[in-house]
Amino acid sequence: MSNPYGYDRPQDRPQGYRPPAPPPGVLPPPQPGQWQPGPPQQYPPQYQQPFPQPGPYQQGQFQQGPYQQPGQWPPPYGGPNHFNGFQPQKRRSGAAKFILLGFFALAFVGITLAVVGAALTGRSGPLADPEISGPSIVPTATTQPDKGTAEDYLVNSPLYQAGGLGDVDCPAEKLGDGSLAAQKVYYEKLFKCLNDAWRPALSKIGVTKPDPGLVVFDQAVNTPCGRFKPLSGRVLAFYCYGNQVMYTDVLQMNKAFGPKQDLAYLLTIAHEYGHHIQGVTELFYARAYYLQDHPSQKLESSRRNEVQASCLGGVFSRAVEKSYPFSKRMKEFEYQASNSFGESEDTPAAERTHGLASTQGFWIMNGYNVGETKACNTFAAPANLVK
């Protein structure tokens, strides 16, 4: 993957530039010991074979940042064609189609970004469709894909049977002045709540994978997904599938929301955790397979992927509503849901990878209102709800 965020040449570096120091704010990385031994991950019979094993990690393949210690991360997910071992039984007829190299890079190390919302980039007003005023739908596929295909897995994933998360005791920490130290305290508490909430739901469907890691940074960081520096464009946070770690830009979060809009922080981290859920349940890799045969669906599929992560964030928000609490702040929650993320109406259709801010709001509120993972089958939703 190219490096659109950092400085590649000495002449590009601003006056007074210094090489980045080891980023503070590193929470414990994924550790297999965090999980109690349980049953192997189960999939419907049509997906169980064949599952090739992920390829071995090649030493030196990624530039390791100073925060990364040998053996700390689990091995990356094989090569570009391995898709973490996900391989549907059936493929549509015809020669295999190779999509853009950029997406294979994503399949290899995988990155998803939370971007500053339309409210911060000039959204002029609400859209008529979709609305966020009380959506409560459970998407149902209108077509029946061939059994065992990647498309079949996307619309019939076991994730949609995981149910709700129950009530999670998660009083919010104060954000204080929004500094790195303050944000780290806030995220540590929230991250523990996310792990505690999602672990039983995943175990219910046979997924027993390590908890993800989290890096809170205010200096440039090197990751398997590339090098990132604070205040790079509109990126608030991102999740890297290559090491199962999410990264949060302290300076960008403070610039976008300040230290008082804590519900925006909640939704940002819950969204990125949604991408982790997509990874450990194989939805990310099923989508990679699907796009080999449907390259024209790249943008719409990206939007479905992004709003699904937001919907899962809404499911989590429902679980912490009473203890956080924000029961008496629902207008504020709805506002943040539909104004903190996504693209503006002025964003060209060819560049809409995350969905409009109103679309993001619709799916966050749908996940919240339904309160179960079945609300988040965005791959079965009509196209007008993922624009």
Side-chain angles (χ1 to χ4, degrees):
M1 180 179 291
S2 62
N3 179 13
Y5 297 96
Y7 295 100
D8 290 320
R9 303 176 304 171
Q11 60 265 37
D12 290 331
R13 297 172 180 171
Q15 185 175 4
Y17 170 82
R18 292 181 300 174
V26 180
L27 294 186
Q31 295 291 340
Q34 290 176 300
W35 286 83
Q36 297 299 320
Q41 184 168 346
Q42 297 295 321
Y43 296 102
Q46 63 266 30
Y47 302 111
Q48 289 182 1
Q49 297 293 337
F51 276 169
Q53 295 300 312
Y57 174 75
Q58 299 297 322
Q59 188 67 27
Q61 192 167 5
F62 300 124
Q63 180 180 356
Q64 296 187 0
Y67 57 91
Q68 183 173 341
Q69 299 177 7
Q72 200 172 35
W73 308 123
Y77 296 121
N81 296 317
H82 286 167
F83 299 104
N84 195 33
F86 179 89
Q87 182 174 353
Q89 281 189 332
K90 298 180 180 180
R91 293 283 305 280
R92 291 185 180 273
S93 59
K97 303 178 179 68
F98 291 96
I99 57 179
L100 295 177
L101 179 62
F103 189 82
F104 276 120
L106 299 190
F108 188 24
V109 293
I111 185 169
T112 56
L113 306 173
V115 296
V116 178
L120 304 174
T121 54
R123 185 164 71 91
S124 58
L127 293 180
D129 182 24
E131 296 286 355
I132 67 163
S133 56
S136 184
I137 66 171
V138 176
T140 303
T142 57
T143 60
Q144 294 185 352
D146 293 339
K147 293 294 183 181
T149 61
E151 184 178 3
D152 181 35
Y153 191 84
L154 288 172
V155 299
N156 294 301
S157 169
L159 174 62
Y160 311 136
Q161 306 302 317
L165 306 182
D167 291 331
V168 178
D169 185 20
C170 188
E173 292 289 344
K174 301 295 184 182
L175 277 166
D177 59 358
S179 64
L180 182 142
Q183 286 195 34
K184 180 185 175 184
V185 170
Y186 178 88
Y187 293 138
E188 282 182 323
K189 179 65 173 292
L190 180 60
F191 210 58
K192 181 180 185 302
C193 296
L194 281 157
N195 288 329
D196 291 345
W198 278 110
R199 197 180 300 123
L202 292 174
S203 295
K204 180 179 177 181
I205 58 173
V207 178
T208 54
K209 300 292 180 66
D211 298 333
L214 173 67
V215 170
V216 184
F217 68 94
D218 64 355
Q219 302 173 35
V221 292
N222 292 314
T223 82
C225 292
R227 184 170 182 269
F228 294 80
K229 62 188 290 285
L231 300 174
S232 299
R234 295 169 54 223
V235 176
L236 295 166
F238 62 95
Y239 177 78
C240 181
Y241 291 90
N243 59 1
Q244 299 179 20
V245 174
M246 61 187 71
Y247 299 80
T248 303
D249 183 342
V250 167
L251 302 184
Q252 186 70 284
M253 291 293 290
N254 212 337
K255 177 182 178 181
F257 305 119
K260 295 183 179 180
Q261 300 185 50
D262 59 300
L263 294 181
Y265 289 71
L266 164 67
L267 290 172
T268 298
I269 299 304
H271 168 94
E272 291 305 323
Y273 204 98
H275 287 307
H276 173 70
I277 301 299
Q278 291 170 324
V280 298
T281 58
E282 308 291 337
L283 279 163
F284 175 80
Y285 306 98
R287 189 171 78 90
Y289 252 103
Y290 173 77
L291 286 177
Q292 284 190 102
D293 293 312
H294 303 83
S296 64
Q297 296 295 308
K298 183 180 179 181
L299 279 175
E300 182 175 304
S301 177
S302 175
R303 294 194 296 271
R304 292 180 186 277
N305 181 68
E306 292 297 332
V307 299
Q308 182 176 71
S310 291
C311 180
L312 294 170
V315 173
F316 170 77
S317 298
R318 176 66 172 269
V320 300
E321 172 200 353
K322 296 177 182 177
S323 61
Y324 186 86
F326 59 86
S327 301
K328 296 181 180 180
R329 303 168 63 191
M330 285 309 301
K331 291 297 182 183
E332 180 186 352
F333 183 81
E334 291 178 3
Y335 176 84
Q336 294 293 359
S338 60
N339 288 274
S340 296
F341 320 104
E343 288 117 10
S344 74
E345 297 174 64
D346 297 329
T347 304
E351 299 176 12
R352 291 182 180 174
T353 59
H354 282 60
L356 296 173
S358 59
T359 302
Q360 287 282 337
F362 176 94
W363 286 104
I364 291 171
M365 294 308 302
N366 194 60
Y368 172 85
N369 288 333
V370 176
E372 297 185 22
T373 55
K374 64 183 180 181
C376 303
N377 188 355
T378 56
F379 291 96
N384 68 304
L385 294 183
V386 291
K387 60 186 180 182

